[in-house]
Amino acid sequence: MNSNQQLQHLYWRAGFGPRPQDVAGNPSPRKALRQLLHDSEKYEPLTGAGLSFTEPHGMVMTDPASTTKKPVPDGTVTTPPDAPGVVPAMRPRSALRGGTLATGVPRLRRAALTPEQRKMQNEGIRDAFANISTAWMDRMAASPAQLREKMTLFWHGHFACRVRQPNAALSLHNTTRQHALGKFPDLLLAVSKEPAMLQFLNNQQNRKAHPNENFAREVMELFTLGRGNYTEQDVKEAARAFTGWGYDYEYNFKFREREHDAGPKTFLGSTGNFSGEEVLALILKQPAAATFLVTKIYRFFVNDVPNPAHIEPLAGAFRKSGYDIADLMERLFSADWFYEPANVGTHIKSPVELLAGIRRTLNVKIDNDKPLLGYQRALGQTLFQPPNVAGWPGGRNWIDSSSLLLRLQLPAILFKNAEFAVALKQDENDIAPNLTKAQRTVAPGTRAQLPLAPLQQLLGSTPAPQQPEKLSQFLLQATIRPENLRLVQQAAQQKEPAEALRTTLISLLSLPEYQLA
């Protein structure tokens, strides 16, 4: 395996693929890794217009005191216009974009909304989530901080969370983004105090008198230790430590001391009046935590089949570093075994990796990126909507007969406006469920612009008959089969140079080999 192949492998695993300009100078993998780490040092939150959601005026009571009946001078009693049972006026739909709910203003219960208000609320929430997703996809495709984006995607699946509130989801996203390459104890504590996670795992209902074990169980089973490394009694004791952890009306973390069980607890062999913070610290003292985390990272970045001989030294160094994530990733990407043939071109791209990779490696500009969200869902990975708390299973689960067909058709849809309308499946957790088939159908219309100049520079003076093979070496991590190469060469024959290059690109992107990284 030559250095150029190693370089492309690194860019695919540590980010969303190489651009022609990334490989033009043929830097060494070591130098490219240093640059990736440097470019990903700075944290920049995901912000922008339309990424937050505000309840429209008609869905809040502007004065809590006004819900009571008030006497007037003549002794009669009047009911204020915004009292329960009275439908308040609504703002236009544009009021749902941007900002946050005013301090101290209570929401009306969803059951009290009219059908029109409920529809308006659903549309505002859906638009905010769509804007968050497209903004993040733009970052994946264009940001120089490729390793931070890829690590944020990993943690997005590791700390899988699905809530209805866009602002809470965005806050959790920015927390994982901020700590994505920092120390894992800081990331774990910050995520554990995010209102979105506390709501999703029911810790808002975890009170001294009636402990709820859901949050404590998932913290150990899915986030830190894995099954078999704790007991049911540990779950019960940890749940007691997390009593009182919740959030306030504006979705800020709040510790309710009166709801906290401050009594002695025996957890993972230690006894004390442990708080939630102390329980998290005790978890990370277990050697199993580093092994569990490194194994999961290995499966995402290296190979679906863990290799204990690779994982154990990494896990030891990870613990010794205080769970330094950036240090772990540098060790992983610097290891000789990372570039072994068994680990190259064997990873099935997730839908997000596939879409972001096409955009990044080809410098694609998208005029209308909203349909891409529909293709994400049709392919089985909608950002901010994991199937459950375990996240997306990944690997071979990404591919079935219908998703593979769409994957192979996607380049033609993007660059040739091919007809391939997809009717999305109903989801009981949809923000707006029970849509008609027509409303659930995603039709072409992204209008993707494919600039050819960077690829022409990559090709240089390569003769036209050899260009398909040269491009295949750049675009494909798996070796192209001879019969597929002949098909690509035939497709580009007897066309003017620019159109031949465009046809070659689309043909290569449409191969099964392109599904692998």
Side-chain angles (χ1 to χ4, degrees):
M1 189 178 191
N2 60 43
S3 62
N4 189 265
Q5 291 171 319
Q6 291 180 332
L7 182 65
Q8 293 179 185
H9 176 57
L10 173 65
Y11 276 118
W12 268 115
R13 297 301 179 90
F16 297 92
R19 301 166 300 175
Q21 56 266 41
D22 294 326
V23 299
N26 195 26
S28 69
R30 172 70 67 176
K31 182 178 180 180
L33 177 56
R34 286 199 299 268
Q35 189 65 48
L36 283 166
L37 288 163
H38 177 268
D39 290 343
S40 297
E41 286 178 353
K42 185 179 178 182
Y43 157 64
E44 294 184 3
L46 195 65
T47 59
L51 302 193
S52 56
F53 169 74
T54 302
E55 295 280 9
H57 178 68
M59 296 183 201
V60 299
M61 297 177 290
T62 56
D63 180 7
S66 69
T67 61
T68 60
K69 295 184 178 181
K70 300 178 180 179
V72 293
D74 63 2
T76 60
V77 177
T78 62
T79 300
D82 53 354
V86 178
V87 178
M90 291 188 297
R91 277 194 213 159
R93 184 177 169 192
S94 59
L96 289 106
R97 297 187 175 91
T100 58
L101 193 66
T103 303
V105 179
R107 292 180 178 83
L108 286 175
R109 291 184 179 275
R110 184 167 169 80
L113 303 179
T114 67
E116 181 61 28
Q117 287 174 320
R118 193 174 293 111
K119 178 183 177 183
M120 189 173 168
Q121 185 186 63
N122 287 339
E123 289 174 342
I125 291 171
R126 183 187 63 203
D127 288 350
F129 271 116
N131 291 337
I132 295 171
S133 295
T134 53
W136 188 13
M137 287 293 291
D138 288 344
R139 286 272 187 99
M140 292 181 203
S143 172
Q146 284 289 284
L147 182 55
R148 184 172 292 272
E149 297 303 326
K150 197 63 170 284
M151 285 303 309
T152 302
L153 181 62
F154 168 77
W155 295 123
H156 186 66
H158 181 79
F159 293 111
C161 180
R162 183 168 181 165
V163 291
R164 181 177 167 81
Q165 297 79 16
N167 297 356
L170 181 59
S171 176
L172 174 60
H173 170 82
N174 279 327
T175 290
T176 55
R177 173 179 290 278
Q178 178 181 1
H179 298 286
L181 287 165
K183 295 293 185 73
F184 183 76
D186 298 332
L187 172 61
L188 177 63
L189 179 60
V191 166
S192 296
K193 289 189 172 182
E194 277 291 327
M197 188 61 72
L198 293 169
Q199 179 188 16
F200 185 55
L201 296 181
N202 309 117
N203 209 74
Q204 184 80 335
Q205 290 81 47
N206 188 14
R207 299 179 174 90
K208 178 169 56 177
H210 302 284
N212 185 301
E213 299 174 5
N214 196 26
F215 177 76
R217 183 181 303 279
E218 304 305 359
V219 163
M220 288 187 281
E221 179 180 333
L222 296 175
F223 299 166
T224 56
L225 294 174
R227 290 183 180 179
N229 294 303
Y230 58 89
T231 67
E232 283 300 307
Q233 187 60 31
D234 289 327
V235 173
K236 295 180 185 299
E237 298 291 84
R240 293 175 57 211
F242 290 119
T243 51
W245 282 34
Y247 51 90
D248 63 18
Y249 194 74
E250 295 181 287
Y251 291 101
N252 296 308
F253 175 79
K254 184 174 183 179
F255 175 64
R256 295 180 172 87
E257 189 172 1
R258 292 176 60 184
E259 299 292 347
H260 177 65
D261 184 341
K265 309 165 187 75
T266 299
F267 176 71
L268 294 174
S270 298
T271 300
N273 297 343
F274 298 132
S275 65
E277 291 89 345
E278 290 169 327
V279 159
L280 294 178
L282 284 170
I283 288 173
L284 295 182
K285 287 183 178 180
Q286 309 302 307
T291 301
F292 175 80
L293 290 164
V294 171
T295 299
K296 198 164 182 181
I297 287 171
Y298 185 95
R299 295 185 66 178
F300 186 90
F301 288 94
V302 182
N303 198 302
D304 283 340
V305 181
N307 187 328
H310 300 160
I311 289 169
E312 286 308 315
L314 288 176
F318 193 35
R319 287 192 70 204
K320 188 175 181 180
S321 72
Y323 290 89
D324 188 316
I325 301 166
D327 179 76
L328 169 65
M329 302 315 294
E330 183 172 9
R331 290 174 185 273
L332 185 151
F333 293 131
S334 300
D336 291 341
W337 46 255
F338 175 69
Y339 298 99
E340 289 178 354
N343 298 325
V344 179
T346 56
H347 169 75
I348 298 175
K349 296 173 186 174
S350 72
V352 167
E353 289 173 318
L354 178 67
L355 290 163
I358 290 175
R359 293 175 64 179
R360 181 167 183 81
T361 57
L362 299 178
N363 297 282
V364 172
K365 306 299 180 185
I366 303 290
D367 294 338
N368 176 22
D369 52 7
K370 290 299 187 290
L372 294 181
L373 300 180
Y375 293 126
Q376 276 183 34
R377 180 170 169 183
L379 292 172
Q381 187 182 30
T382 304
L383 294 174
F384 302 97
Q385 295 183 34
N388 51 55
V389 69
W392 294 274
R396 293 184 179 275
N397 295 283
W398 291 128
I399 301 290
D400 58 30
S401 57
S402 60
S403 65
L404 180 58
L405 179 60
L406 176 55
R407 280 170 172 260
L408 300 181
Q409 289 280 349
L410 197 56
I413 295 170
L414 293 176
F415 304 123
K416 296 173 67 176
N417 290 319
E419 293 296 328
F420 194 99
V422 181
L424 302 175
K425 297 177 181 178
Q426 290 278 20
D427 185 336
E428 62 181 10
N429 294 315
D430 278 352
I431 293 167
N434 302 319
L435 298 176
T436 65
K437 183 176 180 180
Q439 291 171 317
R440 289 183 285 111
T441 297
V442 181
T446 53
R447 295 189 297 277
Q449 301 174 22
L450 178 58
L452 298 179
L455 292 160
Q456 289 169 330
Q457 292 176 359
L458 180 70
L459 289 170
S461 60
T462 305
Q466 280 79 55
Q467 288 184 3
E469 185 172 8
K470 173 88 171 180
L471 286 171
S472 75
Q473 294 169 356
F474 169 68
L475 290 172
L476 308 180
Q477 289 302 99
T479 303
I480 188 171
R481 288 178 289 180
E483 61 270 25
N484 285 343
L485 179 58
R486 286 194 294 272
L487 289 174
V488 173
Q489 291 170 331
Q490 291 170 5
Q493 286 179 357
Q494 299 178 345
K495 294 184 178 180
E496 59 93 17
E499 185 58 28
L501 176 56
R502 187 181 182 86
T503 300
T504 299
L505 287 170
I506 295 173
S507 298
L508 288 169
L509 297 175
S510 303
L511 293 175
E513 289 93 328
Y514 188 72
Q515 305 306 312
L516 300 171

